[in-house]
Amino acid sequence: MKSESGRFTDGVQWVWLDLDDTLIDFRANSRTALRAVYAEESLDRFYPTADGWVAAYEAHNHKLWERYNRAEISQDYLRVDRFATPLAPFWPEGVEALEAFCRRLDPLYLSILAKGKAMIPGASGLLDHLRSCGYNIGILSNGFTDVQYRKLRNCGLDQKVDLVVLSDDIGVNKPDVRLFRHAMERAGNTCPGVHVMIGDNPDTDILGAVRAGWRAVLFNPAAAAVTVDGPVVVAPSLGLVKTLF
């Protein structure tokens, strides 16, 4: 892939990747975990079908993550409310009992989620290719520390990366440029021009990277083809992302 000044990756030393829905198939693993929670905690008391429960949870959880990424709510609020709000209309007891129940659901869900091994097609091949090309490889994620490392181990990705930087490390989320600066400091190279970010979220991964002066690759399966817009390349598959490097 060429730009006006040469290859898109000219001068790149560090390749950073988002984890969920970029390398790990978070949606598939989450739905498996949510169905397991539904069965184990008899949530058919509230939702007649597991599909109905999953849909209600996902719709609300998506909105909460948008607010969390904007630093409008705390992690604790997100982890409780994503269960509490979908259950509240059907909950027969008081608010305190509902919160206590949701605090029981949260670690159960996360434990099952962390064991999920579904990955985005081409993820392992991309990491192996980056390694063979001599790039340093980092993970840059807004996910929770107590879960992300388990995901990496269970999917066998921990041995394929050099550095893991999480929003929990400093208490700010992508797209906050401070997290990208923290990643550069951890990598030992604070020159933005040697870093590139690969991620699926334009509002967190890509916006934050560009603001930090990095180049970025938006992994967008809905895209029709590889396109270039200044410091950002859009690619519809990880196989095509690999061809950029």
Side-chain angles (χ1 to χ4, degrees):
M1 178 61 61
K2 298 283 185 179
S3 66
E4 292 180 0
S5 58
R7 283 184 58 84
F8 172 76
T9 54
D10 281 353
V12 169
Q13 298 177 21
W14 274 89
V15 180
W16 297 88
L17 301 102
D18 176 52
L19 187 59
D20 292 318
D21 288 328
T22 299
L23 295 175
I24 292 176
D25 192 339
F26 172 82
R27 182 174 298 179
N29 291 332
S30 176
R31 287 177 175 175
T32 297
L34 289 168
R35 289 188 170 92
V37 170
Y38 178 87
E40 189 164 332
E41 293 293 337
S42 302
L43 298 187
D44 56 348
R45 296 173 288 163
F46 312 116
Y47 284 87
T49 67
D51 286 346
W53 157 244
V54 170
Y57 173 95
E58 287 184 340
H60 185 57
N61 186 55
H62 179 74
K63 295 175 184 176
L64 287 176
W65 270 95
E66 289 183 336
R67 295 179 63 195
Y68 179 63
N69 289 334
R70 295 193 298 266
E72 295 175 358
I73 59 174
S74 68
Q75 182 183 132
D76 183 70
Y77 181 89
L78 182 153
R79 291 172 68 159
V80 173
D81 193 68
R82 60 184 176 180
F83 296 103
T85 289
L87 292 173
F90 316 105
W91 186 253
E93 304 176 57
V95 173
E96 290 184 359
L98 174 59
E99 179 178 338
F101 182 63
C102 293
R103 289 192 181 279
R104 191 173 84 207
L105 296 184
D106 177 64
L108 173 62
Y109 164 74
L110 291 177
S111 177
I112 300 169
L113 175 66
K115 296 174 184 176
K117 294 185 178 181
M119 293 178 61
I120 300 297
S124 289
L126 172 60
L127 293 177
D128 291 341
H129 174 73
L130 293 172
R131 175 68 70 223
S132 71
C133 292
Y135 293 106
N136 297 297
I137 304 171
I139 297 295
L140 186 56
S141 170
N142 280 357
F144 309 146
T145 300
D146 59 349
V147 180
Q148 299 303 72
Y149 281 102
R150 282 187 283 163
K151 289 180 184 176
L152 285 164
R153 287 193 298 270
N154 289 332
C155 287
L157 298 180
D158 56 328
Q159 301 300 312
K160 295 178 181 285
V161 302
D162 300 299
L163 187 59
V164 178
V165 175
L166 302 176
S167 57
D168 279 358
D169 293 347
I170 60 170
V172 297
N173 299 329
K174 295 178 290 183
D176 194 312
V177 72
R178 289 176 293 174
L179 185 59
F180 292 83
R181 290 173 181 158
H182 175 68
M184 288 190 284
E185 291 170 358
R186 288 282 310 279
N189 194 325
T190 57
C191 175
V194 306
H195 299 270
V196 63
M197 179 77 202
I198 301 171
D200 68 295
N201 191 320
D203 298 322
T204 55
D205 303 319
I206 308 308
L207 180 61
V210 171
R211 284 177 174 173
W214 297 12
R215 280 163 277 186
V217 179
L218 174 62
F219 165 52
N220 179 9
V226 175
T227 59
V228 183
D229 183 10
V232 179
V233 172
V234 179
S237 72
L238 295 185
L240 287 173
V241 171
K242 185 169 71 172
T243 66
L244 302 173
F245 296 87

